[in-house]
Amino acid sequence: MALRIGVDSGGTFTDVCLFDEATGKLDIWKVPSTPDDPSRGIANGVAESLSTVGNTAGNIAFLGHGTTVATNALIELKGVATGLITTDGFRDLLEIGRQKRPSLYDMNAEKPETLVSRDRRHEVPERLKSDGSQDLALDEAKLRAAVRELAQDDVKAIAICFLYGFLNTAHERRVVEMIREEMPDVFISASHDVAPEFREYERMSTTVVNAYLGPVMQRYIDRLKQRLTELGVPVAPQLTQSNGGVIGFDMAAQLPVRTVLSGPSTGVVAAQAVGKMAGFDNIITFDVGGTSSDVALLQGGICKLTGEANVHGYPIKAPMLDIHTVGAGGGSIAFVDSGGLLKVGPRSAGADPGPVCYGRGNTEATVTDANIVLQTLNPVEILGGRMKVRRDLAVEAIQRLADQLGLGLMETAQGIISVVTANMAKAIRLISVQRGHDPRDYALMAFGGAGPLHAARLAKELDMSRIIVPLTPGTLCALGLLLTDLRSDFAVSRLMKVDEGAVDPMVSGFNSLETQAASWFSQEGIEADRQVINRTADMRYVGQNYELQVQVPAGPVGSDTLEALVKGFEQAHLQRFGFIAEGEAIQIVTLRLEAAGLVNKAQFTPQPDAGPACDAAIIGTRDVYMDEVRDFVPCPVYTREKLKPGNRIAGPAIVEQMDTTTVILPDMQGVVDPYLNLILEMRA
């Protein structure tokens, strides 16, 4: 067996990467996604790609995939009927939330829908103190009555979240036992398993989201298992987590909340590998798909993890790569708002019916339609000729917008691009400027089906001077699955000041986490020489409400460890907030342990320089509307597959390949590096 396959199931397309370990050959494939049953699109993509390269499923040595099933179920509120059992007096915590309001002065602001209706939220007398000791015993009679009432409501999942349940799991474990007695088939989500950390609201929200999505993910995984078995896949598939690593299907079914950023995370993993090969340490990733743009900042080649995020209005405490998403993709719909202004997104045409130019019945102009009208995209066919498009339909749709705005056709099409570029720039400023990083110090890595299409204008907007376009940008998330490791994260909250008294609690805390990691290593069958452990701590000044993650040095925990933590925290605080509070007490909040199982990865070798001439890669000329001159400009069109290392392209130019199109503006030039990445730079 020599084939390693990565599959990224997106909202519009399902991407497949095949890497032959024996020959080093990399092949990519795209098929339309099947939102009604994503497992069908994945099976179709694997089958078609195998047929294309003349191989069989029996030769697959690894199959990993990223999915948007959990994300979409949360966005579209298509989870299951869910119940909640919590401490007496905390029934309404799920709706009360925090004092902080994202739209403080908006009288019409809408809160996300509560995932558990109030009649399905049950309080049970029990209480733990802040140190985890018992204050009030669990009332088992009232607990059983609550469970039986939920059984009569025919709920499909139950979340359990007691106050301070992360410090003492006894009460929550007893609830699990009783639910299994009364409702053996229901999905159970207990906070001490899902998010054993402090902050009761976020812990409850995470536990509820996990329960709400659990049966949905289980059904999806069961269907996908069956389809892959029918294809003859001989290995156990893996699924991407939000932290960039992969886990087995069984673990993913238990903890679906850890997969809400499954798709975008592997793109960042691939970007780390590509950046390292290309010699770039500081990178901002720019992943544009059909419905959204995902951006992340890599400093020193590493994307930081965050232990908490707000996903579509729902707080989630789970380890995930620090990725920010904005509703700006190729399928984002352009419209005129009530004030007569042009807006783009977040509503999307999706995979079906898709942009107007697909000819499937949509009449609302999208970003893709604007690119078709401007002819930055091929106005006749895309996907290497596999999909025909209709520019006439795109023109009609954008002309209707132009009439509403009182503008010309091309002005409106370019306006759509300018608006979506501004939306994308705002997302990048959020993860860079607002966190103390200057985008000009970073290279922009563009991928996704539409990333290279918009990268040049986005870089100009942000005054960034260098763009990296990987060899297979449209399928980079799928490629990332061939470059990542098995991974799981464990955490325990231990609030303590950083002084000598913290040593023993840190030792016991990390010992507990290492025991959990050892169990996971055994469950996943990871050999000892492939086991890697990394420790971090969430820290803050006493009285602060937000933490910064700091690396914990390897080796035994002692006074040297504490000194290193203080230094690391002060550096992180200076970077994020611009100052160090001299003399203020520092506090450790949560201990974290990342466990990784190293796997064999796709390897790439550099190719020899072929010189600057690349006329052999020109496949034609196309008139492209350039905003710089407010007119169409004849541009040479290059095919990416014929570009060689050392080739140089002077803008304006278009580079086409099956999975994306790259725009090179008049004041830019492109050069192909030894790994066949296309590097765009501003010309002197």
Side-chain angles (χ1 to χ4, degrees):
M1 295 188 293
L3 272 183
R4 299 180 64 79
I5 297 181
V7 186
D8 178 46
S9 177
T12 308
F13 289 102
T14 294
D15 305 329
V16 185
C17 262
L18 303 94
F19 182 77
D20 192 321
E21 292 181 324
T23 65
K25 189 172 184 290
L26 179 71
D27 291 285
I28 60 174
W29 196 250
K30 274 182 176 281
V31 297
S33 293
T34 51
D36 61 307
D37 180 4
S39 67
R40 190 172 75 252
I42 292 173
N44 291 344
V46 172
E48 286 188 26
S49 60
L50 286 171
S51 175
T52 301
V53 300
N55 217 316
T56 62
N59 290 325
I60 297 175
F62 171 85
L63 193 152
H65 91 288
T67 179
T68 57
V69 167
T71 313
N72 292 342
L74 185 59
I75 295 171
E76 299 169 13
L77 298 176
K78 291 184 177 179
V80 301
T82 303
L84 171 66
I85 294 176
T86 188
T87 304
D88 193 19
F90 287 81
R91 176 187 188 183
D92 295 318
L93 178 62
L94 202 60
E95 288 192 85
I96 295 170
R98 294 259 172 218
Q99 181 179 355
K100 182 179 178 181
R101 298 291 182 263
S103 303
L104 186 61
Y105 299 106
D106 185 355
M107 300 299 292
N108 299 311
E110 294 185 7
K111 293 175 63 177
E113 184 173 321
T114 306
L115 300 181
V116 183
S117 59
R118 196 170 192 272
D119 59 307
R120 289 175 175 160
R121 302 198 297 262
H122 292 266
E123 299 175 337
V124 177
E126 69 84 40
R127 195 62 181 258
L128 298 175
K129 296 179 181 179
S130 60
D131 61 359
S133 61
Q134 180 174 287
D135 183 51
L136 178 66
L138 176 65
D139 189 326
E140 296 209 3
K142 291 189 177 179
L143 170 61
R144 193 171 296 275
V147 172
R148 288 177 175 174
E149 190 171 337
L150 287 172
Q152 292 176 353
D153 276 345
D154 197 28
V155 299
K156 303 301 180 186
I158 297 177
I160 307 161
C161 186
F162 286 152
L163 193 67
Y164 299 115
F166 64 95
L167 292 175
N168 182 341
T169 64
H171 289 183
E172 289 194 358
R173 284 189 283 108
R174 178 61 188 130
V175 179
V176 172
E177 292 172 0
M178 191 174 292
I179 292 174
R180 284 179 176 152
E181 292 171 10
E182 298 285 343
M183 305 170 68
D185 297 327
V186 78
F187 183 89
I188 303 172
S189 176
S191 78
H192 69 270
D193 288 326
V194 178
E197 302 178 38
F198 92 130
R199 289 202 172 103
E200 63 276 13
Y201 167 57
E202 288 78 7
R203 180 161 51 91
M204 180 181 286
S205 173
T206 306
T207 307
V208 165
V209 169
N210 194 71
Y212 183 73
L213 300 176
V216 175
M217 183 62 81
Q218 281 188 330
R219 287 196 299 268
Y220 164 71
I221 285 175
D222 289 343
R223 286 196 298 264
L224 183 56
K225 273 184 179 177
Q226 182 178 351
R227 291 185 188 277
L228 294 177
T229 300
E230 291 170 354
L231 277 178
V233 176
V235 294
Q238 307 287 340
L239 193 142
T240 318
Q241 301 177 92
S242 303
N243 64 10
V246 292
I247 51 173
F249 273 14
D250 291 341
M251 182 68 74
Q254 294 171 25
L255 296 171
V257 73
R258 293 194 176 187
T259 70
V260 291
L261 291 181
S262 172
S265 67
T266 47
V268 174
V269 170
Q272 290 178 168
V274 171
K276 184 177 180 181
M277 285 191 300
F280 294 94
D281 289 332
N282 295 333
I283 293 170
I284 292 176
T285 65
F286 176 54
D287 177 8
V288 186
T291 57
S292 65
S293 296
D294 303 304
V295 297
L297 186 140
L298 280 61
Q299 187 177 31
I302 301 297
C303 180
K304 288 188 176 181
L305 279 175
T306 179
E308 183 180 322
N310 191 293
V311 181
H312 302 286
Y314 300 98
I316 291 178
K317 288 188 78 68
M320 56 186 73
L321 293 175
D322 195 1
I323 299 171
H324 182 68
T325 301
V326 62
S332 295
I333 292 171
F335 63 98
V336 179
D337 70 5
S338 58
L341 299 176
L342 178 65
K343 297 291 181 68
V344 181
R347 198 160 55 91
S348 173
D352 188 15
V356 176
C357 62
Y358 287 8
R360 294 178 183 163
N362 178 34
T363 59
E364 295 181 284
T366 67
V367 173
T368 296
D369 295 310
N371 279 303
I372 290 290
V373 169
L374 297 170
Q375 299 195 159
T376 45
L377 270 178
N378 191 317
V380 178
E381 59 189 21
I382 57 176
L383 293 182
R386 289 170 50 208
M387 176 182 268
K388 302 297 180 182
V389 293
R390 292 187 56 181
R391 186 173 185 269
D392 59 322
L393 295 180
V395 167
E396 290 176 9
I398 291 180
Q399 186 61 60
R400 286 193 291 271
L401 276 178
D403 293 342
Q404 285 181 266
L405 293 165
L407 298 173
L409 173 68
M410 305 312 297
E411 285 180 291
T412 303
Q414 183 59 51
I416 292 172
I417 302 302
S418 297
V419 170
V420 80
T421 299
N423 292 343
M424 295 166 175
K426 182 179 179 182
I428 287 180
R429 290 190 181 101
L430 181 66
I431 63 162
S432 57
V433 177
Q434 294 188 26
R435 298 181 182 180
H437 302 274
D438 189 337
R440 294 172 296 184
D441 297 333
Y442 290 75
L444 184 69
M445 184 174 291
F447 54 97
L453 189 64
H454 295 273
R457 298 205 181 280
L458 178 62
K460 287 189 69 174
E461 177 86 8
L462 295 165
D463 202 20
M464 300 174 74
S465 60
R466 190 167 292 170
I467 301 166
I468 308 165
V469 182
L471 177 61
T472 58
T475 57
L476 199 72
C477 288
L479 176 63
L481 283 153
L482 308 182
L483 301 169
T484 190
D485 293 308
L486 288 165
R487 180 168 163 178
S488 190
D489 292 87
F490 307 92
V492 59
S493 286
R494 290 285 188 271
L495 275 73
M496 52 194 166
K497 288 184 179 180
V498 182
D499 54 30
E500 289 302 322
V503 172
D504 288 343
M506 284 186 68
V507 170
S508 64
F510 278 125
N511 284 343
S512 172
L513 297 180
E514 287 169 8
T515 299
Q516 295 177 52
S519 176
W520 177 77
F521 282 136
S522 175
Q523 180 181 338
E524 295 291 343
I526 300 169
E527 298 175 0
D529 61 344
R530 290 182 171 267
Q531 298 176 7
V532 177
I533 283 177
N534 182 53
R535 302 178 302 180
T536 60
D538 292 357
M539 302 175 66
R540 67 185 182 184
Y541 287 117
V542 173
Q544 278 186 318
N545 201 31
Y546 298 96
E547 297 80 49
L548 297 173
Q549 197 170 103
V550 180
Q551 187 71 35
V552 177
V557 174
S559 57
D560 291 346
T561 307
L562 300 181
E563 290 177 11
L565 285 175
V566 169
K567 184 177 180 180
F569 171 74
E570 289 180 341
Q571 290 175 342
H573 200 276
L574 181 64
Q575 170 73 58
R576 177 65 66 89
F577 301 112
F579 72 96
I580 295 173
E582 298 285 354
E584 289 293 328
I586 299 173
Q587 188 177 43
I588 293 173
V589 174
T590 300
L591 303 176
R592 300 186 185 278
L593 186 144
E594 170 198 319
L598 304 181
V599 302
N600 295 326
K601 303 179 183 66
Q603 300 292 327
F604 303 97
T605 56
Q607 298 187 21
D609 192 294
C614 55
D615 291 349
I618 297 177
I619 56 174
T621 301
R622 183 162 77 238
D623 289 341
V624 178
Y625 187 86
M626 292 287 174
D627 190 42
E628 289 76 7
V629 296
R630 302 295 178 93
D631 202 354
F632 282 92
V633 175
C635 295
V637 179
Y638 296 82
T639 179
R640 182 75 183 267
E641 63 183 15
K642 291 185 178 181
L643 292 175
K644 307 294 182 185
N647 286 179
R648 291 184 176 275
I649 302 172
I654 300 292
V655 180
E656 290 186 345
Q657 57 194 102
M658 187 276 289
D659 55 332
T660 195
T661 295
T662 303
V663 174
I664 305 176
L665 296 178
D667 52 356
M668 289 183 170
Q669 68 172 359
V671 61
V672 182
D673 78 358
Y675 293 95
L676 299 178
N677 300 302
L678 181 59
I679 312 297
L680 307 184
E681 296 178 321
M682 302 299 294
R683 283 191 293 191

